[in-house]
Amino acid sequence: MAYEPRHMKWWGWGYEDAEFRASRHPGFWPFAKSVLDIENDDFPRREWSLHSVALPEARVDEPFLTRLRACLAPGQVTNEAKERVIHSYGKGFRDLFRLRHGIATGAPDLIVYPESERDVCLTLRAAVERDIVLIPFGGGSNIAGCLERMDPGRMCVSLDMRRMRRVLAVDRRSFTAQIEAGVFGPDLEQQLSAHGMTLGHFPDSFLHSTLGGWLATRSAGMQSDKYGKIEDMVIAVRMVTPEGVLETRVVPKASNGIDVNHLCVGSEGMLGVITEATMRVHAFPESRQVRGYLFPEFEGGMEAIYECANQECMPAMVRLNDPDKTALSLAFRPLPSGFTKIASSLFKTYLRVKGFAQPRACLMLIAFEGNERGVSRRLQQAETIYRKRGAVGLGASAGKSFEATKYDFPHIRDFLLDRNVTTDVSETATVWGNIATLYHDTISVLREEISKSGVRPWAGCHVSHTYPCGASLYFTFGFRQRPGHELEQYLQVKRAVQQSFIDHGATLSHHHAVGTEHLPWLAADISPIGVQAISAIKQRLDPVNIMNPGRLLPSSTPFEDWLALGSPLRRTEKSAQH
Amino acid sequence: MAYEPRHMKWWGWGYEDAEFRASRHPGFWPFAKSVLDIENDDFPRREWSLHSVALPEARVDEPFLTRLRACLAPGQVTNEAKERVIHSYGKGFRDLFRLRHGIATGAPDLIVYPESERDVCLTLRAAVERDIVLIPFGGGSNIAGCLERMDPGRMCVSLDMRRMRRVLAVDRRSFTAQIEAGVFGPDLEQQLSAHGMTLGHFPDSFLHSTLGGWLATRSAGMQSDKYGKIEDMVIAVRMVTPEGVLETRVVPKASNGIDVNHLCVGSEGMLGVITEATMRVHAFPESRQVRGYLFPEFEGGMEAIYECANQECMPAMVRLNDPDKTALSLAFRPLPSGFTKIASSLFKTYLRVKGFAQPRACLMLIAFEGNERGVSRRLQQAETIYRKRGAVGLGASAGKSFEATKYDFPHIRDFLLDRNVTTDVSETATVWGNIATLYHDTISVLREEISKSGVRPWAGCHVSHTYPCGASLYFTFGFRQRPGHELEQYLQVKRAVQQSFIDHGATLSHHHAVGTEHLPWLAADISPIGVQAISAIKQRLDPVNIMNPGRLLPSSTPFEDWLALGSPLRRTEKSAQH
């Protein structure tokens, strides 16, 4: 029997039985109310029922279904209502907002669970013949709109890859592992750990995302500073396209023309289905040290990261929060025990004495991994640099607390959505020489743009991934919704922040993919000729355009199309208004 | 006045005034004679005259020429005989053999020296209009046939990029440099050193190759173990294609769909002309230590490299020679001074006492770079590992001697060609788990295949670039020519060694590109669908097929076409025979 990780709840992040519990984080809601200027406290608990979702009638292509049924087991093909709703969208703001308002126009007509590459090939072949759209689906955690169905005129199948979850082979001598693409993070790490290995890829979505999804979106894990982004870990891939299987060799590096591995990575399902990959893996590190520090200000923290990058003591993970994100992180802390409370209040006094101004203090979390000696040497070196910048160590306990809750953060959004607050994130990357300007200008843009809708803005940022040449800046923002104008309000802010990235020479995303949310800026980022090249590959490998149509190819009116997404709802908004 | 590095001699490697002088390497010719079974010592010194080259009449498209002359300076356009011969080919065995036999069918009809991206654009535009072939030319050092003219039916222009040689900007804070593509290695390093920076890219061809060439062929420098291959150093590129300029942003990493930087890198001139790139650069290392060691056998040496890779003490450079390549290296040593002679003979005695069997001993050269402390720590760690494998240190003097002669090796080939000996190289990469088998089998294949032509085989190998997952194996081979059958003999051997790579799951090349020499194996390496994808990009960005036609797209009869290259000469061979 195939292992089946549970689906996430359709109305939010995480499993149905997991959610943000305000009682465990007593500081959070008061914090949110204060920074977002919320007076009301009376939000009824919503019970989510599938009956509230208007599921469009499923298109059925009988010859297609007959062919699938002839070669797949009954449990591999379904059009159950709940499955259709779950596979409607990813987990972006627009996705959740629509489902929570009963809109599931993105629902696929059928869900297929392949259990082998053969199943994938058969499905593709039948789909080509019957002109049926296929959208590869991993964990469904994407927040950029990569799973958005763009072609309502054709039958659409969600190809849920989760049953292709085996680690097929581990070459312990070469530190490579051949892995099926549908495996989820925890399952993969468990299988690799049986060989003493780890992939070292821990994105925030780790619990709910798959290898194939990471590859298709050029994901980055928390420890990318040491292990690289997912594209740096790929040794070889297999991708089933409508024209045949693209496959590459298990070699560390090559000079064999244009590197076609890089045509698969980042292809967002528009060329084919990544069925497996051979990845670089690592011996389980002997030592792992996670630490927290408080810097007197953001600039000094960035300077410290920069120095570490240049002095051969870059941690495996660095997360430096700006003052607002620091305040959010502190407010998010779980209920402290009696002793921790006292210790924490003593610490506050200590910080006051040291001259730390709370509104400017910045929390940094780092992790070092490797052999004992190397870790302790680099940690020491880094701490010397941090201290020079006035940092105060919060010790290993801050690290432990981070480790314990590191995957919980996305739950906050559901909690806030229940309270009519919109939150979202936009992240980018730039070189060190540009980072301070990009940071300050984008925070300003965010605040201004949110303010325009007449509500109090909240915007924070953290440095999330660092490189010798630069770093990723990860912005988080939130604001009270203007009832009846929620999507408009969101789009206005999202557009402003993305435009700020592009205007400042940064990229549209460092690790969240293009999807629908960032598509209008693609040509600005990679140049129109870059888009032309992608379009050419698409036409050749998928001439009938069945693979996740609409990805990576902006229309001639990208912003109009972008604004129109979720338009049924926006019509509702308007009618509510008049 | 534009700086103009000199061209290499048309009949061999290096400048006209540089060559291998047997008198300075007294051990070499006796060694070669012995291993190659050469009795004759009477090879007349050849004087190379352009008059011996049958240069085909230059095709002239008057409207094209008129347009070029209207917008370029007179010194930027030439069809002088010597320039045409120099730009005929790269420096592969077939290239040199043909020119030395008076065949220059590959000669371009015109050479254009652009001095700006504007010049490149103008030339491309005119070429598109007049259906004229353009072959981007850097230093002309390529040995895989990347510069081979494949379309004799159309006028052909060699686009020599050497005047676009400026470092346009160095961002010292971000460790990036924006560089024009035509700059040669030494010139680039000199310009960067004014900013205290280095690119860290030192291929064997360093003196005679350009940034654009490195990018177009996915080159690897000697110190790739630390700095990466050229594709790992690219931050952004500008490539002029017939359809417009492909340009990417100066960001350390991104998730903006398919990474179009990787469409330019490795494109071998078939999509457009790389005019500039923003590269990651490094502060000039505080310390550089180069050392030599002698290992009792090859396997132990490989094991030591492997252990270093896994214990965080991988050198910036490792070159481990197998026994045959070691013997060659030792024979290649320059004339020793009196003192060195005595020291060296003492050392030989020492090695005998230590039980080193000369025929199995293996020379390894390594370099560590970085800050003083880090270098000395890693060097110490590495030496512990080496000693465990029985290695004997040859000290810094072996390192110095390597440094002094590291770019001289290619001169040997000319010396041997003058003596009717064919030598060539084939290199590949594979994972650690496969490396021993690949090595032993390929050496056997080489020896067998050479023997088939009735001459004594010589084949050696060195590990040239290492990675956590595997390494590159670099084979060198040589044999006496069968008069009148030189190309046949070469092709038979070359074919066997490349086939061995592919049969063993390795790649067609680690850093020499596809060109014509490796083209028949491209579909086996990257799969037919991979080739299809490249073909699609080609058709879109270069719809009239003017950019270096024939690259990266194997014909339907790849081996026939491959064998036919240089066919005029082979007809001569045959007529000589009958």
Side-chain angles (χ1 to χ4, degrees), chain B residues 292-354:
Chain B
Y293 303 88
L294 216 50
F295 280 81
E297 27 123 71
F298 196 45
E299 285 70 17
M302 283 208 276
E303 209 51 45
I305 294 174
Y306 176 74
E307 278 181 49
C308 287
N310 287 302
Q311 286 185 29
E312 305 182 15
C313 59
M314 198 149 92
M317 178 197 85
V318 182
R319 292 200 160 189
L320 172 70
N321 298 290
D322 78 350
D324 286 285
K325 191 76 202 294
T326 299
L328 170 60
S329 292
L330 295 178
F332 182 68
R333 279 182 309 176
L335 191 66
S337 67
F339 173 75
T340 323
K341 248 184 199 160
I342 299 166
S344 138
S345 97
L346 279 173
F347 186 68
K348 274 186 195 148
T349 316
Y350 169 74
L351 287 180
R352 253 197 308 278
V353 173
K354 292 278 283 184

Side-chain angles (χ1 to χ4, degrees), chain A residues 171-176 217-218 229 231-232 235 241 243-260 262-263 265-268 271 280 303 306 310 312 370-371 377-378 381 429-433 467-471 501-502 505-514 522 524-527 529-530 532-537 539-541 552, chain B residues 171-176 217-218 229 231-232 235 241 243-260 262-263 265-268 271 280 303 306 310 312 370-371 373 377-378 429-433 467-471 501-502 505-514 522 524-527 529-530 532-537 539-541 552:
Chain A
D171 177 347
R172 290 177 63 161
R173 178 149 177 90
S174 307
F175 293 94
T176 61
T217 58
R218 289 170 69 194
K229 279 185 73 190
E231 60 259 43
D232 307 313
I235 302 282
T241 80
E243 293 290 293
V245 179
L246 192 159
E247 53 178 322
T248 55
R249 293 185 158 228
V250 180
V251 295
K253 283 280 176 184
S255 167
N256 50 10
I258 291 168
D259 185 350
V260 298
H262 285 287
L263 304 184
V265 176
S267 59
E268 303 189 8
L271 298 178
R280 188 180 158 197
E303 209 52 43
Y306 177 75
N310 286 303
E312 304 183 18
N371 63 37
R377 189 188 61 245
R378 287 195 301 272
Q381 235 179 305
T430 193
V431 288
W432 287 116
Y467 303 93
C469 296
F501 294 166
I502 295 298
T507 181
L508 57 79
S509 169
H510 168 267
H511 59 272
H512 282 161
V514 180
L522 185 60
D525 197 342
I526 66 170
S527 78
I529 295 291
Q532 278 300 310
I534 294 172
S535 148
I537 309 167
Q539 268 186 26
R540 183 71 64 92
L541 301 193
L552 301 188
Chain B
D171 177 346
R172 291 177 65 161
R173 176 146 178 91
S174 307
F175 293 95
T176 60
T217 58
R218 286 169 71 191
K229 279 185 74 190
E231 60 259 44
D232 307 313
I235 302 282
T241 80
E243 293 289 294
V245 180
L246 192 159
E247 53 178 321
T248 55
R249 293 186 158 228
V250 180
V251 295
K253 284 279 176 186
S255 168
N256 50 10
I258 291 168
D259 185 350
V260 298
H262 284 288
L263 304 184
V265 176
S267 59
E268 302 188 9
L271 298 179
R280 189 181 155 194
E303 209 51 45
Y306 176 74
N310 287 302
E312 305 182 15
N371 63 36
R373 239 178 13 167
R377 188 189 62 243
R378 288 195 301 272
T430 193
V431 287
W432 287 115
Y467 304 93
C469 295
F501 294 165
I502 294 297
T507 182
L508 54 79
S509 169
H510 169 266
H511 60 272
H512 283 160
V514 180
L522 185 60
D525 197 340
I526 66 169
S527 79
I529 295 291
Q532 278 301 308
I534 293 172
S535 147
I537 308 167
Q539 268 186 25
R540 182 71 64 92
L541 301 194
L552 302 188

Side-chain angles (χ1 to χ4, degrees), chain B residues 34-189:
Chain B
S34 134
V35 298
L36 296 171
D37 197 20
I38 300 168
E39 288 174 3
N40 192 357
D41 223 349
D42 184 24
F43 295 94
R45 185 174 170 82
R46 293 280 304 264
E47 292 300 331
W48 297 103
S49 158
L50 272 179
H51 300 298
S52 64
V53 181
L55 203 52
E57 200 177 336
R59 276 174 183 266
V60 179
D61 183 279
E62 280 301 342
F64 175 72
L65 218 56
T66 309
R67 267 195 61 179
L68 283 195
R69 289 204 173 118
C71 48
L72 300 178
Q76 291 184 261
V77 183
T78 176
N79 63 0
E80 262 178 52
K82 187 167 179 187
E83 290 271 351
R84 289 184 62 210
V85 171
I86 284 169
H87 290 86
S88 293
Y89 301 109
K91 298 294 180 191
F93 168 75
R94 273 206 259 199
D95 300 335
L96 295 183
F97 191 78
R98 280 181 287 184
L99 280 177
R100 283 161 164 254
H101 284 75
I103 308 260
T105 45
D109 303 301
L110 195 74
I111 297 93
V112 171
Y113 288 96
E115 293 178 0
S116 65
E117 191 176 286
R118 172 192 156 275
D119 292 350
V120 174
C121 290
L122 288 168
T123 310
L124 254 83
R125 217 167 297 150
V128 168
E129 221 159 87
R130 302 296 310 163
D131 194 23
I132 282 156
V133 164
L134 295 181
I135 303 182
F137 190 97
S141 66
N142 181 267
I143 60 169
C146 287
L147 300 168
E148 178 94 34
R149 175 183 185 169
M150 302 297 279
D151 192 347
R154 290 190 281 172
M155 179 178 171
C156 173
V157 174
S158 181
L159 206 61
D160 190 312
M161 298 295 292
R162 70 190 60 214
R163 296 189 192 171
M164 291 182 64
R165 52 166 289 272
R166 288 173 303 163
V167 171
L168 299 169
V170 174
D171 177 346
R172 291 177 65 161
R173 176 146 178 91
S174 307
F175 293 95
T176 60
Q178 184 192 358
I179 307 163
E180 286 185 323
V183 70
F184 280 72
D187 187 13
L188 171 60
E189 284 296 322

Side-chain angles (χ1 to χ4, degrees), chain A residues 8-10 53-56 83-100 102-108 135 137 139-143 145-150 158 516 565-569:
Chain A
M8 283 197 270
K9 58 175 81 119
W10 58 264
V53 181
L55 204 53
E83 290 270 351
R84 289 183 61 210
V85 171
I86 284 169
H87 290 87
S88 294
Y89 301 108
K91 298 294 180 191
F93 168 75
R94 273 205 259 199
D95 301 336
L96 294 183
F97 191 78
R98 280 181 285 185
L99 280 176
R100 283 164 164 250
I103 309 259
T105 45
I135 303 182
F137 190 98
S141 66
N142 181 268
I143 59 168
C146 287
L147 302 167
E148 179 93 32
R149 175 185 185 169
M150 302 295 281
S158 181
T516 49
L565 276 184
S567 49
L569 187 64

Side-chain angles (χ1 to χ4, degrees), chain A residues 338-404:
Chain A
F339 174 74
T340 322
K341 250 185 199 160
I342 297 164
S344 139
S345 95
L346 279 173
F347 186 67
K348 273 185 198 151
T349 314
Y350 169 73
L351 287 180
R352 253 196 310 276
V353 173
K354 293 276 282 184
F356 269 67
Q358 158 86 51
R360 287 177 60 215
C362 290
L363 176 68
M364 180 160 94
L365 287 148
I366 59 145
F368 277 101
E369 283 196 5
N371 63 37
E372 297 276 5
R373 245 188 355 179
V375 165
S376 95
R377 189 188 61 245
R378 287 195 301 272
L379 180 56
Q380 224 170 11
Q381 235 179 305
E383 287 201 329
T384 308
I385 292 169
Y386 301 161
R387 270 197 298 272
K388 221 175 58 190
R389 299 280 164 192
V392 170
L394 305 178
S397 68
K400 271 196 200 114
S401 134
F402 170 76
E403 294 273 81

Side-chain angles (χ1 to χ4, degrees), chain A residues 291-452:
Chain A
R291 293 282 190 282
Y293 302 89
L294 216 49
F295 280 80
E297 28 125 67
F298 196 45
E299 284 69 18
M302 284 207 277
E303 209 52 43
I305 294 175
Y306 177 75
E307 278 181 47
C308 287
N310 286 303
Q311 288 184 30
E312 304 183 18
C313 59
M314 198 150 89
M317 178 197 84
V318 182
R319 289 198 163 192
L320 172 69
N321 297 290
D322 77 351
D324 287 285
K325 192 78 201 296
T326 298
L328 170 60
S329 291
L330 295 179
F332 182 67
R333 279 181 309 177
L335 192 64
S337 67
F339 174 74
T340 322
K341 250 185 199 160
I342 297 164
S344 139
S345 95
L346 279 173
F347 186 67
K348 273 185 198 151
T349 314
Y350 169 73
L351 287 180
R352 253 196 310 276
V353 173
K354 293 276 282 184
F356 269 67
Q358 158 86 51
R360 287 177 60 215
C362 290
L363 176 68
M364 180 160 94
L365 287 148
I366 59 145
F368 277 101
E369 283 196 5
N371 63 37
E372 297 276 5
R373 245 188 355 179
V375 165
S376 95
R377 189 188 61 245
R378 287 195 301 272
L379 180 56
Q380 224 170 11
Q381 235 179 305
E383 287 201 329
T384 308
I385 292 169
Y386 301 161
R387 270 197 298 272
K388 221 175 58 190
R389 299 280 164 192
V392 170
L394 305 178
S397 68
K400 271 196 200 114
S401 134
F402 170 76
E403 294 273 81
T405 59
K406 63 184 171 188
Y407 299 125
D408 295 347
F409 224 71
H411 290 296
I412 294 183
R413 187 176 47 173
D414 300 334
F415 176 85
L416 290 173
L417 275 176
D418 290 345
R419 283 152 186 79
N420 303 335
V421 169
T422 294
T423 60
D424 200 15
V425 298
S426 269
E427 41 72 53
T428 185
T430 193
V431 288
W432 287 116
N434 189 40
I435 208 157
T437 312
L438 175 66
Y439 166 68
H440 288 291
D441 290 359
T442 304
I443 285 284
S444 296
V445 160
L446 266 167
R447 292 207 178 116
E448 263 167 48
E449 204 59 39
I450 296 172
S451 301
K452 281 184 192 163

